[in-house]
Amino acid sequence: MKILFMNGPNLNMLGIREKHIYGDLSLETINQMIQKECEKLGVEAEFYQSNIEGELVDKIHSTYGKDYTGIVFNPGAYSHYSLALSDAIKCISIPVVEVHMSNVFAREESRQNMVTAKNSLGVISGFGEQSYLLGLYALVARKAK
Ligand code: DQA
């Protein structure tokens, strides 16, 4: 099994940005935690972060036809308005689990517009760094079915 963990804009600033919402772990620390869990589960993990919409689109396209079990994707604010990313998810046949650290449904109304989620397999929102692990477990469980 191979899973791509993707993060969109401003998630490289975890541990610095709005700690009361996102906690104080850096993305690097979270990725290390994911890596450890993947090793336990026998999953090969790949990590990618970009602040640029087009680069995220390209990265999604690059998985096409490859042997990925799925993508765990936190699109950041792009979740709420990027039709380009939503279309990119539709282009590939690989399942995407959308994850958010915060519970976006309990936040501003503008964050409840979920554009990328419409083409994702499902959404996990509100469990801090654990959201990424729950995304991983969802893809592993789906594969085991
Ligand atoms: C986020 C939620 C988004 O609304 C926000 O723009 C982010 C982070 C989350 O992980 O909770 O950048 O995706």
Side-chain angles (χ1 to χ4, degrees), residues 2-3 7 32 37 41 47 57 60 65 88-89 94-95 97 102 117 119-120 125 131 141:
K2 182 174 174 183
I3 296 178
N7 280 280
Q32 283 166 3
E37 196 60 18
L41 297 168
F47 299 96
V57 169
I60 292 170
I89 293 168
I94 296 158
V97 176
S102 62
N119 290 326
S120 298
S125 183
S131 289

Side-chain angles (χ1 to χ4, degrees), residues 10 15 29 41 50 75 87 95 104 116 121 124 130:
N10 300 307
T29 303
L41 297 168
S50 176
D87 286 348
V104 288
T116 47
L121 183 66
I124 295 163
Q130 301 292 329

